[in-house]
Amino acid sequence: MNRWHTDYLAHPLYRPVRRFVPALPTWPRQADFDDLLAAARAGGAPLPDALRFVCALEPEAYYEMHIGATGEVPTRPQNWHDWFNALAWLAWPRAKTALNRRHVRAIARGETRRGPLRDAATLLDECGVIVATADPALGQALDDMRWQELFIARRAEWGRRIAAFTLGHAVMEMGLTPHIGWCGKALILDVAPDFFARDDASQLSQLDAMLAARLDDDAFLPRPRALCPLPLLGIPGWWPDNEDPTFYDNTAYFCPTRRAKSATVSA
């Protein structure tokens, strides 16, 4: 499925990136990527000065090292994965920059073959969904994989005291063809109750700044298990079938098995 379209934007999964997508009749070319960045900068996005999406670039250095040294993000033309990566940079400029810094630090220490720190950063970058919650009990229900409580008993809290914001560009790519079994990796951030009264741009900016500050501390998110599995089709409003409570009886998807305990909630 490589036909250019923007039909996907109606889904809540794409709420963080929706405002950055231009009205293009076909796949973006280099000039379109340049215009995309210019528009985001004009709108106040705190992007690195040197950042540029460079089509068909094949760097000699490690991907992350090349970005860190030059600001150039290798971007394959007519490629959904790289298109959504570009949009993620626009929506999460501080967090994406902090993720790149984390990779650069780890590589400088010798973690060239990927260790737990880089694996965790990559998993967040590819599959991450930031879950903001004003009620620690909701975050704990997610961390404990108590799906009936999270999605049925406390369903009315979604959008009022808990919400999901997509960061991972692989998750965005998979969202083009959603299927049972589709999961993201959730990182829970505690927010104040008034967070949910703000507009989308303000919410995203706050989460972006919070996440970037934490990612600059290598003690935060030290390994992949620090991220929670999140069955994305279970989020209220994300899949029509979940209006029926029996949808959540599928224990192969809404698995009740607890992974190894980890600290995933970050205030």
Side-chain angles (χ1 to χ4, degrees):
M1 179 179 164
N2 210 41
R3 175 185 63 86
W4 171 255
H5 67 93
T6 56
D7 302 344
Y8 54 87
L9 288 175
H11 194 283
L13 174 79
Y14 301 98
R15 181 161 62 116
V17 302
R18 191 178 292 151
R19 62 195 172 100
F20 297 105
V21 178
L24 293 174
T26 188
W27 280 98
R29 298 183 173 90
Q30 184 62 64
D32 298 311
F33 281 107
D34 292 343
D35 290 345
L36 198 68
L37 273 172
R41 287 191 169 105
L47 292 154
D49 291 340
L51 186 75
R52 186 171 185 243
F53 307 119
V54 182
C55 292
L57 173 66
E58 296 185 7
E60 295 182 4
Y62 283 108
Y63 175 86
E64 294 88 359
M65 293 296 283
H66 182 86
I67 295 173
T70 68
E72 296 176 341
V73 180
T75 303
R76 292 167 292 187
Q78 299 188 27
N79 183 283
W80 285 115
H81 191 81
D82 287 8
W83 166 245
F84 288 125
N85 184 47
L87 292 180
W89 270 101
L90 304 184
W92 301 90
R94 300 176 184 92
K96 290 283 282 187
T97 303
L99 280 167
N100 184 254
R101 285 195 297 265
R102 174 170 281 220
H103 279 290
V104 169
R105 289 194 304 272
I107 292 170
R109 291 194 300 263
E111 197 180 314
T112 55
R113 293 180 179 271
R114 294 264 176 92
L117 190 71
R118 288 191 67 206
D119 281 346
T122 299
L123 193 60
L124 179 64
D125 193 25
E126 295 279 349
C127 302
V129 178
I130 307 307
V131 177
T133 177
D135 183 344
L138 287 165
Q140 196 61 57
L142 169 55
D143 194 43
D144 289 340
M145 302 170 71
R146 300 198 303 268
W147 308 123
Q148 296 282 327
E149 177 183 345
L150 187 68
F151 293 136
I152 298 178
R154 304 202 62 180
R155 189 176 189 85
E157 305 294 333
W158 284 87
R160 297 171 53 196
R161 296 183 67 80
I162 186 171
F165 299 80
T166 314
L167 182 152
H169 52 287
V171 165
M172 297 184 206
E173 181 184 16
M174 288 186 287
L176 296 172
T177 53
H179 58 279
I180 298 297
W182 180 40
C183 284
K185 293 295 183 179
L187 178 65
I188 304 163
L189 293 179
D190 284 341
V191 296
D194 66 357
F195 173 88
F196 295 96
R198 300 178 183 179
D199 61 31
D200 287 358
S202 177
Q203 289 180 346
L204 194 63
S205 179
Q206 179 179 335
L207 294 176
D208 185 35
M210 291 172 64
L211 181 56
R214 285 155 178 75
L215 289 169
D216 279 333
D217 176 4
D218 287 345
F220 174 76
L221 195 62
R223 58 187 62 84
R225 282 188 182 273
L227 296 167
C228 308
L230 175 58
L232 297 173
L233 299 188
I235 299 173
W238 284 38
W239 191 243
D241 290 354
N242 74 31
E243 293 295 327
D244 182 349
T246 63
F247 179 75
Y248 298 98
D249 292 343
N250 181 354
T251 55
Y253 185 31
F254 299 100
C255 179
T257 304
R258 173 70 213 175
R259 74 197 190 292
K261 193 71 178 174
S262 61
T264 57
V265 182
S266 178

